[in-house]
Structures are given as structure tokens and as C-alpha cells.
Amino acid sequence: MNLRSGAAQRLDLTACDREPIHIVGSVQPHGFLLGLEARSLTIVQASANAPAAASVGTVLDAALPDLAAVVRHHLEAAEPQDGALYLRTVTLETAGGRQAYEVAAHRVDELVVLELEEIDAAAAEIGVDVLTPRLRAFVERLQTARTVEDLCQFVAEDIRQITGLDRALVYRFDRDWHGTVLAEAGNGVLPSYLDLRFPASDIPAQARELYRRNRLRIIPDAGYVPVPIRPATTPSGKPLDLSQSVLRSVSPVHVEYMRNMGTMASMSVSILVDGALWGLISCHNRAPRRVPLQARNACDVLTQIFALQLSARERGAQSEKRLALGAVQARLLAFMAEEDSFVDGLLNHPDDVLALVDATGAAVVTADRCRLLGATPTEREVRALYRWLSEREDAEEVFVSEALSEAFPAAAAFADRASGLLAISVSKKYASYILWFRPEVVRTVKWGGNPVKAVRPDPEGGPDRLHPRKSFEIWKETVQGRSLPWSDPEVEAAKDLRASVLGIVLRRAEELAAMSEELQRSNKELEAFSYSVSHDLRAPFRHIVGYANLLKTREGAQLSDKGRHYVETIIEAAFSAGTLVDSLLSFSQMGRHALNKVWGDMNALVEEVRRKVLRDVTPDRTIRWEIAPLGRAYADPVMLRLVIENLLSNAVKYTRGTPEAVIAMGSLPPREGEAVYFVRDNGAGFDMAYVDKLFGVFQRLHRVEEFEGTGIGLANVRRIVERHGGRTWAEGRLGAGATFYFTLPIREEAH
């Protein structure tokens, strides 16, 4: 199946798509063409077989007055339209005698193009009276069709009967423009092509566009000799555009294709659904044969009726599917709205998640979570797919593929679970996706001959060119690595779910923003209140301590033992209250202090704090310090000193009952843009069941009689670290020590 390699191959394989088949400069010989200047009806171009009187430069009124009258009436009465319009029948004097013609006209820029098609004896046998009952019967048959295939079969049979050609095929295009024969009617003269597939290259892109613009096409004799149009260009200097032409000559490649098929005559009618090319009704005859105009018009009308019925059927089927999927989506929306996180609403209802797009597996993936539902690739494989989707330059909000391995080669390893992928992005900022998977469906495709065209040398010594295949025998291909295609309603359901998720996330974000605004206002009020109270209480507590000390020293001799005990209790309580007020004042100032971040040496800061902490340690204690290299950090040095001081002071305090205290400070490998530091001790530790209380204000896990303190130190640590954009957490075991962690965002140091 391999073709020649190299630049020559690439050039040849695109030759069909680039062939200018709309400006071939010739017509078929069963009629003639005239190009007229629209206002004066001067003949500016004519095919070589036009009557001698219709020479270039003459006015149509002088050359063919009967025809001129028809054209002038058309120009005065007709509304401009896209496509050829049949005017009427005229009879003209020719070299061979009087000849009847069907006249068609269309516009090309400033020109009126006339095409006169000869009427042969067969045309007289087919009239409106003959065709009307058949059209009426066809419409009645359409009502009985249960499937699209039934509709196609009915139209194939009726068109073959109207045209009298040997075979009529209904040919449908898929998304890749390959065509499949859905229905066929024939008399046995030509072989059957039912259920065969034909490659997109058989009908290249520009030919498909002509089929869309010009619904009817006829080639009465594939052995015809093209009739040139003279002169070769219009007055504007361009070749005449024959896109809407009835007589337009066809590509030599197409003529060769017909001959290789064993057909000498063909007719095609385009099937347009909502303006798009759905397929073709393609008719063939072994011998040359011309289908009369009346029959062709009847086929055109019949095909348009068929297309309307087809559109209604397909829309009805899609509407039913949309309704069914809409019910699933409504349930999912309700589930998501009930949960704090939309992800939980999806994960708790896997059947509906899969049913939404008829998938066998699904995954909800974010930067830190990967949840799998149904039959999916492994988490590692899904993660790799997630990274690929996130990093694509042309990343879309919705990605759809039925052959994932063609775009993402690594998917070949899990084709049995995910050959098809439908993915929606629910957050570009944080790269979150919902993925649906479909498994590989291995199937055998029957082609009408080997779909790969062969490049053969030109027999006349010219450059190699692409030729149509000679054999149309059934050629089977096993298709692997593809799933069943995702339908439009399924893709739309996924898009609607994405919109719903974004709506829920936006609503939650608005609610959180409102709550955050309210909390900020409340926090400011609380900070102001605590600052005011703590500031105003400092002096009274100092006065209490001061006067109590005076009472103790000056009046001590007159006090009884019980009185002295009372005074000492007052001093101790007032001192503790003063310390608590100082801590509250410090905590309230944390949010008011502007951060002044600079680069600093962490080890130098730790050593400075360690010496300060040791001043309050009694000489009888043994402490072993293990300080690892910590590098440099970008932070507010005053604030960071408070963090380290609180953590080291706590470590010293809670190792008081340990024969040899071991206090360590170090760092872990950076992760997700953060530097991670820790302070570890072998002291009293704590029960992990109460770890959530550690960093709260006034939260203590030990009795004040055992370890002094206000319960604000760790709250200060968390507040400072969070203001820097970091996190705090702790691990511990009762009686076996504790480890406190904090992080700081990593920033590249400028040199």
C-alpha cells in the first residue's frame, strides 16, 4: 500500500485537489455555449460548435433574433439567482437543419452565459404528465420508510426508473469525506457497489464544492471530444468560470475513472442537507446515454424532497437524543449544585457521567487529583494524556477524536480502553479536564478497489501524474485504533456540561468573594478592636504589677503569710495577663505590617534566633542542635525571625522534661514551586487527633501548669507564613516529639 516517497509524491498526491476543474475552457459537444455582454448582448465568447452566425463580436439580436428575444425577456423578468436557470425551448437554423434546444442561462461577473442543449427524440417521450404520478407515488412511499436506508433505497429505485440508466447509487460522505454506498438500484448490467466504501480522493475538495453549488451534473458520453471556448479568456482577461455550467467539460482524470469503471455515461444529483453536501445520487450506464432535461429536473425535485425528509429524520433522531442527554445533564447539574465541589457531584454519580456521552470510561483530572470512572487507562497513562492536552499549543476547550493514537501516539498502548477521547477543559488557569473514553472497535471496511492511487509515467513522455485506479474489485481493510464516532448531540452535551460547571464554579467564586469581602471587613474591625483593647490594657496591668510589688516590698513586714501569698498571686496573674495582651497586640499587628521582602541567609537568621532563645535556658539543661544548610530565602526578615523564634522557643519549651533535647532544623526538596522547611524536636509531642487545633488562637494541647504560654505563638506563625504565600502543617506523636513544617514560595535570585 506504500506509494513513492519524496517531493514528487507529495506533489502528485495533491494534484487532484489543485486541478482547476471550474475553468477547463471547454464544453461537452451535446450543446453549445455563448458568453454575452449583459447590457448589449454582444457575443464575447463562444464554443467552437456554435452556429456560424453566432460569431464573437456580433450582437445576439442580429445573429439569433429568436434566442435574443428569450434572453431579453429573462433579463427583464428574472430575479438574480445562483445557478443556471432553464428559460425555454427554442429552435434554431444550423448547418444540419433546424434543431431544437433547451436554453439555460446564468451570470458570471458582468457576463450572461447561455447554454443551449440539443433535444433528442427520447426527450419527447418524457413529459410532465408522465413524471407527475411517479413523483406523487414517491412522496407517498417516503412516509412508509422506517430508516434512512429505506429512504435511500426508495430514491435510488425511482431515479433509476426515471432516467432509464443501468445503475443508481446513493452515496453518503463521512466526516473525512470518504463515501459509502447506502442503497443501490440496478438492472444487472453493471456490478453491485452496495456497502462499498470509496476514498475521499475519488471526489477531491474542489469537485465537492462544485457538487454543492451545482446540484445536477450529466456526462452523456465519456468518449466525447471536448469543444473549446473561444477566445480562451473573458474581456477581463480571465478564463470563464464554468462552476454553474450545464455543459462544462470534465477533468481527464474523471473521464479515465469512468472508463476504468466500465461506464460510458453518468449523471449525479447532489444531496444537500441544511446547505451542506450530505452525499450524491450517482447514476451510471454502460453505453453512452443522455438523460433528457425533463427527466433530470424530475430527479432534481425528487432528490430535494428526499433531502427534506432525510433532514427531518436526522433532526428528529438528534432531537430525541438531545432530550435524553438533556435529562442526564439536568441530573448531573442538580448533583453538582448540591455538593461543595462540583467534582464530588460527578464522582458520586458515575453512571450518569458515562451516560451523558455514551462512554465506557471517564476521568476528572486536575493538577493534584485524578479520579477514574469505569473502564479507563491507568492513572499514570491518564496523567500523561492530561499533560499532553494541557501543553498543546492549539489547545481547544473541547477536544474530540475517534482515533486518539493518531494525535497522541502513546495512546496506542491503551487502545482497548481509550481509542476515542472526548475532553472538556473546565479551567485554563489551573488546567482541569473531564475526559471520556471509548474503546477500540476493530472492523473490516470494504473498499471499491484499492483506495491508494498509483503514480504512473506519462506515456507521452511528460511528468509522472496521478491516475485513477483500474480495478474496482472489493478490497478489504481492517481498521484498528478507532472507536465509534462521537455524535453531534454527545459533543454538544459535553459542551453544555462544561458551561454548567463553569457557571457553578463562577457562582461559588462569587459567593466566596462576597464571604471573603465580609471576612476582610470583620477581620479589620476585629484587628482594630483587639489592637485598641490590648494597647489600652497594657498600662493598667503594668500598674497592677508595679503597685503590687510596692505593696509587697514596703508593706511586706506588716503582711501576714496569707496576705503575701495573695499579693504574689496578684502579681503573677497580672504579669500573665500583660504577657497575653502583648501577644494579642503582636497578633493584631501582623495584618497591619507591610511585608518588606529581601534576600537573606537562613542559617545566619536561625543562629541569631538560637542564641536569643538560649538566654532563657537554665544551665542544667542539655540541648543538641542539628541545623542543616538552609540556603537563602526571599522574605520579610522581621516576620521570618518571629516564625523561627516561635518554633525554636516551642521546641526548647516542650523538650524540658527530656534528658537530652534534640532540636533539628532543615529543609526538604522543593516541590511545586515551594521551599519546605521544618523544625523537629524529641519532646512532649501531641496527639494527631487534635492537630487541627495547633495553629488556632488560644488553642493549647497541654495544660498551662505543665508548659507556660499564651496559645498565640503558632497562630502568629501561620499568619506570617500565609502572608508570604506559604503553608504550615505539623506532625507529632504523644511523648515522641513533633515536627513543624512551613513553606515559602521559590523565587529566582537576581545576580
Side-chain angles (χ1 to χ4, degrees):
M1 291 179 61
N2 293 325
L3 295 178
R4 291 168 46 187
S5 60
Q9 176 194 337
R10 291 192 294 273
L11 179 64
D12 288 329
L13 290 178
T14 60
C16 282
D17 283 336
R18 292 182 293 106
E19 187 180 8
I21 60 176
H22 62 298
I23 51 173
V24 290
S26 62
V27 295
Q28 299 180 61
H30 59 282
F32 67 91
L33 177 145
L34 298 176
L36 310 176
E37 196 279 323
R39 293 184 179 180
S40 65
L41 297 190
T42 301
I43 300 172
V44 296
Q45 284 184 292
S47 60
N49 62 344
S55 59
V56 173
T58 62
V59 178
L60 189 63
D61 298 81
L64 301 169
D66 292 343
L67 180 60
V70 172
V71 174
R72 287 194 181 281
H73 176 75
H74 160 67
L75 292 176
E76 293 171 0
E79 292 290 332
Q81 68 173 40
D82 186 22
L85 177 66
Y86 281 93
L87 306 185
R88 54 170 290 183
T89 302
V90 298
T91 302
L92 303 176
E93 290 289 344
T94 67
R98 293 180 66 79
Q99 173 66 50
Y101 295 92
E102 296 286 0
V103 183
H106 67 277
R107 292 282 193 135
V108 176
D109 299 329
E110 299 301 319
L111 301 181
V112 175
V113 178
L114 296 183
E115 295 181 274
L116 287 87
E117 183 181 348
E118 297 174 359
I119 300 176
D120 58 15
E125 301 174 5
I126 301 177
V128 176
D129 294 341
V130 176
L131 295 172
T132 300
R134 180 168 291 280
L135 290 173
R136 185 182 297 114
F138 173 72
V139 173
E140 292 174 356
R141 290 181 75 195
L142 289 181
Q143 308 304 318
T144 66
R146 290 179 295 178
T147 65
V148 170
E149 287 73 15
D150 288 345
L151 287 173
C152 294
Q153 187 61 40
F154 290 163
V155 75
E157 291 171 358
D158 278 60
I159 283 187
R160 202 196 76 76
Q161 289 296 324
I162 292 172
T163 61
L165 298 176
D166 293 331
R167 182 180 62 201
L169 309 172
V170 179
Y171 182 94
R172 180 177 187 173
F173 294 113
D174 65 14
R175 291 180 180 177
D176 298 321
W177 295 107
H178 301 311
T180 302
V181 178
L182 300 184
E184 177 183 79
N187 57 11
V189 173
L190 294 175
S192 172
Y193 286 167
L194 185 61
D195 293 332
L196 295 189
R197 200 179 196 206
F198 293 84
S201 57
D202 279 6
I203 305 178
Q206 82 280 31
R208 294 193 296 268
E209 177 58 18
L210 287 183
Y211 279 125
R212 188 189 66 80
R213 296 179 60 193
N214 193 348
R215 292 193 306 268
L216 245 165
R217 190 83 185 98
I218 183 170
I219 306 172
D221 185 356
Y224 76 93
V225 176
V227 179
I229 298 172
R230 296 172 181 162
T233 60
T234 65
S236 63
K238 299 184 295 183
L240 182 63
D241 187 341
L242 297 174
S243 298
Q244 302 295 344
S245 171
V246 178
L247 299 173
R248 177 176 59 85
S249 190
V250 296
S251 161
V253 175
H254 184 70
V255 172
E256 186 179 350
Y257 184 88
M258 286 180 62
R259 291 171 181 166
N260 292 350
M261 286 182 75
T263 60
M264 291 302 292
S266 72
M267 185 191 82
S268 63
V269 190
S270 303
I271 304 171
L272 301 179
V273 175
D274 298 328
L277 186 62
W278 183 92
L280 298 173
I281 298 174
S282 185
C283 306
H284 307 99
N285 209 68
R286 182 175 291 281
R289 181 183 176 93
R290 180 139 52 95
V291 179
L293 174 64
Q294 295 289 355
R296 299 203 307 266
N297 286 344
C299 291
D300 187 27
V301 171
L302 187 147
T303 302
Q304 290 186 62
I305 295 171
F306 161 76
L308 288 172
Q309 185 72 7
L310 183 65
S311 175
R313 290 289 181 97
E314 291 194 337
R315 285 184 177 181
Q318 290 197 348
S319 294
E320 288 181 7
K321 190 160 190 176
R322 286 189 178 96
L323 285 173
L325 297 181
V328 176
Q329 184 187 344
R331 291 199 299 271
L332 285 175
L333 183 59
F335 296 147
M336 290 188 294
E338 291 172 357
E339 302 288 349
D340 292 335
S341 168
F342 78 89
V343 174
D344 294 331
L346 297 176
L347 296 176
N348 294 335
H349 302 87
D351 291 343
D352 281 334
V353 173
L354 300 181
L356 183 68
V357 296
D358 194 19
T360 55
V364 182
V365 195
T366 61
D368 55 355
R369 298 177 70 186
C370 179
R371 300 296 183 86
L372 307 179
L373 306 172
T376 69
T378 65
E379 182 174 338
R380 182 177 180 181
E381 291 167 336
V382 171
R383 278 281 177 199
L385 179 58
Y386 162 80
R387 286 193 296 273
W388 175 75
L389 286 170
S390 304
E391 295 168 1
R392 293 173 71 235
E393 293 182 0
D394 57 341
E396 309 101 338
E397 294 173 348
V398 179
F399 177 85
V400 184
S401 175
E402 61 194 66
L404 179 58
S405 60
E406 293 180 5
F408 181 56
F414 47 83
D416 58 326
R417 288 154 287 156
S419 283
L421 172 66
L422 173 53
I424 58 173
S425 168
V426 293
S427 173
K428 287 186 176 181
K429 184 176 181 180
Y430 299 106
S432 303
Y433 282 88
I434 301 175
L435 314 176
W436 288 275
F437 305 107
R438 278 182 180 171
E440 174 185 51
V441 177
V442 179
R443 60 191 185 277
T444 299
V445 175
K446 295 187 294 182
W447 295 91
N450 188 332
V452 181
K453 293 185 177 181
V455 179
R456 301 198 304 274
D458 191 295
E460 298 180 1
D464 293 0
R465 71 179 183 87
L466 207 59
H467 291 262
R469 59 186 180 277
K470 290 184 175 294
S471 173
F472 289 84
E473 294 294 325
I474 295 177
W475 193 87
K476 294 183 179 180
E477 178 189 19
T478 300
V479 178
Q480 295 179 306
R482 301 181 78 89
S483 70
L484 294 176
W486 306 93
S487 68
D488 289 340
E490 290 163 349
V491 175
E492 290 169 10
K495 290 180 178 178
D496 290 344
L497 180 69
R498 178 180 183 274
S500 299
V501 169
L502 292 178
I504 291 172
V505 171
L506 180 61
R507 179 168 57 81
R508 294 274 167 81
E510 290 174 346
E511 292 174 355
L512 288 174
M515 291 173 61
S516 176
E517 186 177 345
E518 180 64 23
L519 283 172
Q520 287 178 2
R521 186 186 63 79
S522 299
N523 283 339
K524 286 180 179 179
E525 291 177 356
L526 286 172
E527 284 177 2
F529 174 75
S530 61
Y531 179 81
S532 175
V533 170
S534 56
H535 183 273
D536 292 346
L537 286 178
R538 293 176 78 188
F541 281 124
R542 286 176 180 170
H543 291 160
I544 292 172
V545 171
Y547 283 113
N549 277 321
L550 286 174
L551 183 62
K552 178 181 177 181
T553 55
R554 293 183 180 181
E555 307 295 335
Q558 301 176 18
L559 293 174
S560 64
D561 291 342
K562 185 176 289 187
R564 281 194 296 274
H565 173 70
Y566 290 157
V567 170
E568 288 174 353
T569 302
I570 291 172
I571 293 172
E572 184 179 344
F575 182 81
S576 297
T579 303
L580 179 60
V581 167
D582 287 341
S583 297
L584 272 174
L585 183 61
S586 175
F587 183 77
S588 67
Q589 288 175 328
M590 291 297 174
R592 307 161 77 94
H593 187 281
L595 294 180
N596 181 27
K597 295 182 181 180
V598 296
W599 285 100
D601 187 328
M602 283 286 285
N603 283 92
L605 187 60
V606 170
E607 181 59 24
E608 178 185 332
V609 171
R610 188 182 73 86
R611 290 178 179 176
K612 179 181 177 182
V613 169
L614 283 175
R615 294 173 191 164
D616 298 327
V617 176
T618 57
D620 60 327
R621 289 198 58 189
T622 302
I623 300 178
R624 177 157 54 91
W625 298 87
E626 296 178 354
I627 310 298
L630 301 172
R632 294 169 63 80
Y634 186 72
D636 184 313
V638 175
M639 293 286 195
L640 189 57
R641 181 182 287 105
L642 286 174
V643 169
I644 297 171
E645 184 175 338
N646 273 295
L647 294 178
L648 293 185
S649 296
N650 275 356
V652 170
K653 178 169 59 176
Y654 288 104
T655 55
R656 186 181 300 155
T658 307
E660 182 186 29
V662 179
I663 300 174
M665 184 166 182
S667 62
L668 300 177
R671 50 184 171 183
E672 298 181 1
E674 293 181 321
V676 184
Y677 303 97
F678 66 85
V679 173
R680 181 180 295 121
D681 65 67
N682 62 340
F686 60 87
D687 188 339
M688 284 294 288
Y690 306 104
V691 68
D692 293 336
K693 292 185 175 183
L694 273 179
F695 295 94
V697 180
F698 303 132
Q699 298 293 327
R700 300 177 54 87
L701 302 188
H702 302 84
R703 292 185 303 161
V704 70
E705 293 83 358
E706 295 179 294
F707 300 101
E708 71 282 358
T710 61
I712 296 179
L714 290 179
N716 276 338
V717 168
R718 171 160 284 181
R719 195 168 196 190
I720 293 170
V721 170
E722 287 182 349
R723 286 199 64 195
H724 279 77
R727 300 174 294 124
T728 56
W729 69 96
E731 297 171 356
R733 193 154 55 91
L734 202 57
T739 305
F740 291 84
Y741 299 89
F742 69 94
T743 69
L744 295 173
I746 294 175
R747 172 176 167 173
E748 293 295 327
E749 187 172 2
H751 296 287

PDB file of all heavy atoms in Angstrom, residues 19 21 24 224 248-256:
ATOM      1  N   GLU A  19      -6.464  20.740  -9.159  1.00  0.00           N
ATOM      2  CA  GLU A  19      -6.847  20.852 -10.560  1.00  0.00           C
ATOM      3  C   GLU A  19      -7.986  21.867 -10.713  1.00  0.00           C
ATOM      4  O   GLU A  19      -9.033  21.747 -10.076  1.00  0.00           O
ATOM      5  CB  GLU A  19      -7.296  19.490 -11.091  1.00  0.00           C
ATOM      6  CG  GLU A  19      -7.560  19.496 -12.582  1.00  0.00           C
ATOM      7  CD  GLU A  19      -8.002  18.121 -13.079  1.00  0.00           C
ATOM      8  OE1 GLU A  19      -8.237  17.234 -12.239  1.00  0.00           O
ATOM      9  OE2 GLU A  19      -8.119  17.960 -14.295  1.00  0.00           O
ATOM     10  N   ILE A  21     -10.828  22.595 -12.099  1.00  0.00           N
ATOM     11  CA  ILE A  21     -11.863  21.974 -12.933  1.00  0.00           C
ATOM     12  C   ILE A  21     -13.001  22.917 -13.270  1.00  0.00           C
ATOM     13  O   ILE A  21     -13.856  22.596 -14.097  1.00  0.00           O
ATOM     14  CB  ILE A  21     -12.422  20.702 -12.256  1.00  0.00           C
ATOM     15  CG1 ILE A  21     -13.049  21.048 -10.900  1.00  0.00           C
ATOM     16  CG2 ILE A  21     -11.350  19.655 -12.101  1.00  0.00           C
ATOM     17  CD1 ILE A  21     -13.695  19.866 -10.215  1.00  0.00           C
ATOM     18  N   VAL A  24     -12.022  24.911 -17.132  1.00  0.00           N
ATOM     19  CA  VAL A  24     -11.402  23.974 -18.084  1.00  0.00           C
ATOM     20  C   VAL A  24     -11.366  24.533 -19.499  1.00  0.00           C
ATOM     21  O   VAL A  24     -10.639  24.024 -20.354  1.00  0.00           O
ATOM     22  CB  VAL A  24     -12.146  22.626 -18.074  1.00  0.00           C
ATOM     23  CG1 VAL A  24     -11.892  21.891 -16.781  1.00  0.00           C
ATOM     24  CG2 VAL A  24     -13.648  22.829 -18.292  1.00  0.00           C
ATOM     25  N   TYR A 224     -16.409  11.516 -25.331  1.00  0.00           N
ATOM     26  CA  TYR A 224     -16.583  12.746 -26.102  1.00  0.00           C
ATOM     27  C   TYR A 224     -15.254  13.460 -26.330  1.00  0.00           C
ATOM     28  O   TYR A 224     -14.278  13.270 -25.605  1.00  0.00           O
ATOM     29  CB  TYR A 224     -17.563  13.681 -25.387  1.00  0.00           C
ATOM     30  CG  TYR A 224     -16.983  14.397 -24.182  1.00  0.00           C
ATOM     31  CD1 TYR A 224     -16.417  15.664 -24.310  1.00  0.00           C
ATOM     32  CD2 TYR A 224     -16.994  13.810 -22.913  1.00  0.00           C
ATOM     33  CE1 TYR A 224     -15.883  16.324 -23.216  1.00  0.00           C
ATOM     34  CE2 TYR A 224     -16.469  14.456 -21.819  1.00  0.00           C
ATOM     35  CZ  TYR A 224     -15.910  15.720 -21.974  1.00  0.00           C
ATOM     36  OH  TYR A 224     -15.371  16.366 -20.897  1.00  0.00           O
ATOM     37  N   ARG A 248     -20.390  22.019 -18.941  1.00  0.00           N
ATOM     38  CA  ARG A 248     -18.958  22.049 -18.615  1.00  0.00           C
ATOM     39  C   ARG A 248     -18.269  20.724 -18.895  1.00  0.00           C
ATOM     40  O   ARG A 248     -18.745  19.652 -18.526  1.00  0.00           O
ATOM     41  CB  ARG A 248     -18.766  22.405 -17.136  1.00  0.00           C
ATOM     42  CG  ARG A 248     -17.305  22.387 -16.667  1.00  0.00           C
ATOM     43  CD  ARG A 248     -17.175  22.852 -15.232  1.00  0.00           C
ATOM     44  NE  ARG A 248     -17.949  22.037 -14.313  1.00  0.00           N
ATOM     45  CZ  ARG A 248     -17.509  20.896 -13.775  1.00  0.00           C
ATOM     46  NH1 ARG A 248     -16.310  20.419 -14.103  1.00  0.00           N
ATOM     47  NH2 ARG A 248     -18.275  20.223 -12.932  1.00  0.00           N
ATOM     48  N   SER A 249     -17.110  20.820 -19.548  1.00  0.00           N
ATOM     49  CA  SER A 249     -16.293  19.636 -19.786  1.00  0.00           C
ATOM     50  C   SER A 249     -15.715  19.161 -18.458  1.00  0.00           C
ATOM     51  O   SER A 249     -15.595  19.936 -17.507  1.00  0.00           O
ATOM     52  CB  SER A 249     -15.166  19.979 -20.759  1.00  0.00           C
ATOM     53  OG  SER A 249     -14.515  18.807 -21.183  1.00  0.00           O
ATOM     54  N   VAL A 250     -15.384  17.884 -18.370  1.00  0.00           N
ATOM     55  CA  VAL A 250     -14.903  17.324 -17.106  1.00  0.00           C
ATOM     56  C   VAL A 250     -13.422  17.032 -17.165  1.00  0.00           C
ATOM     57  O   VAL A 250     -12.807  17.000 -18.236  1.00  0.00           O
ATOM     58  CB  VAL A 250     -15.685  16.043 -16.729  1.00  0.00           C
ATOM     59  CG1 VAL A 250     -17.135  16.362 -16.491  1.00  0.00           C
ATOM     60  CG2 VAL A 250     -15.538  14.984 -17.791  1.00  0.00           C
ATOM     61  N   SER A 251     -12.850  16.804 -15.998  1.00  0.00           N
ATOM     62  CA  SER A 251     -11.419  16.521 -15.884  1.00  0.00           C
ATOM     63  C   SER A 251     -11.053  15.239 -16.629  1.00  0.00           C
ATOM     64  O   SER A 251     -11.791  14.247 -16.577  1.00  0.00           O
ATOM     65  CB  SER A 251     -11.053  16.373 -14.400  1.00  0.00           C
ATOM     66  OG  SER A 251      -9.838  15.703 -14.246  1.00  0.00           O
ATOM     67  N   PRO A 252      -9.915  15.219 -17.334  1.00  0.00           N
ATOM     68  CA  PRO A 252      -9.468  13.978 -17.985  1.00  0.00           C
ATOM     69  C   PRO A 252      -9.312  12.825 -16.996  1.00  0.00           C
ATOM     70  O   PRO A 252      -9.536  11.665 -17.347  1.00  0.00           O
ATOM     71  CB  PRO A 252      -8.118  14.370 -18.595  1.00  0.00           C
ATOM     72  CG  PRO A 252      -8.173  15.855 -18.731  1.00  0.00           C
ATOM     73  CD  PRO A 252      -9.011  16.346 -17.607  1.00  0.00           C
ATOM     74  N   VAL A 253      -8.944  13.149 -15.740  1.00  0.00           N
ATOM     75  CA  VAL A 253      -8.810  12.093 -14.726  1.00  0.00           C
ATOM     76  C   VAL A 253     -10.164  11.461 -14.447  1.00  0.00           C
ATOM     77  O   VAL A 253     -10.288  10.238 -14.301  1.00  0.00           O
ATOM     78  CB  VAL A 253      -8.196  12.665 -13.427  1.00  0.00           C
ATOM     79  CG1 VAL A 253      -8.167  11.596 -12.331  1.00  0.00           C
ATOM     80  CG2 VAL A 253      -6.797  13.187 -13.686  1.00  0.00           C
ATOM     81  N   HIS A 254     -11.237  12.302 -14.413  1.00  0.00           N
ATOM     82  CA  HIS A 254     -12.572  11.765 -14.158  1.00  0.00           C
ATOM     83  C   HIS A 254     -13.051  10.904 -15.329  1.00  0.00           C
ATOM     84  O   HIS A 254     -13.682   9.860 -15.134  1.00  0.00           O
ATOM     85  CB  HIS A 254     -13.563  12.898 -13.906  1.00  0.00           C
ATOM     86  CG  HIS A 254     -14.937  12.422 -13.552  1.00  0.00           C
ATOM     87  ND1 HIS A 254     -15.220  11.818 -12.352  1.00  0.00           N
ATOM     88  CD2 HIS A 254     -16.104  12.417 -14.257  1.00  0.00           C
ATOM     89  CE1 HIS A 254     -16.507  11.477 -12.314  1.00  0.00           C
ATOM     90  NE2 HIS A 254     -17.064  11.837 -13.472  1.00  0.00           N
ATOM     91  N   VAL A 255     -12.761  11.339 -16.545  1.00  0.00           N
ATOM     92  CA  VAL A 255     -13.138  10.541 -17.719  1.00  0.00           C
ATOM     93  C   VAL A 255     -12.437   9.186 -17.676  1.00  0.00           C
ATOM     94  O   VAL A 255     -13.039   8.138 -17.939  1.00  0.00           O
ATOM     95  CB  VAL A 255     -12.790  11.302 -19.018  1.00  0.00           C
ATOM     96  CG1 VAL A 255     -12.983  10.409 -20.233  1.00  0.00           C
ATOM     97  CG2 VAL A 255     -13.652  12.557 -19.137  1.00  0.00           C
ATOM     98  N   GLU A 256     -11.152   9.191 -17.321  1.00  0.00           N
ATOM     99  CA  GLU A 256     -10.408   7.936 -17.214  1.00  0.00           C
ATOM    100  C   GLU A 256     -10.998   7.054 -16.114  1.00  0.00           C
ATOM    101  O   GLU A 256     -11.100   5.825 -16.256  1.00  0.00           O
ATOM    102  CB  GLU A 256      -8.936   8.240 -16.923  1.00  0.00           C
ATOM    103  CG  GLU A 256      -8.041   7.011 -16.923  1.00  0.00           C
ATOM    104  CD  GLU A 256      -6.584   7.363 -16.653  1.00  0.00           C
ATOM    105  OE1 GLU A 256      -6.237   8.562 -16.645  1.00  0.00           O
ATOM    106  OE2 GLU A 256      -5.788   6.430 -16.450  1.00  0.00           O
TER     107      GLU A 256
END
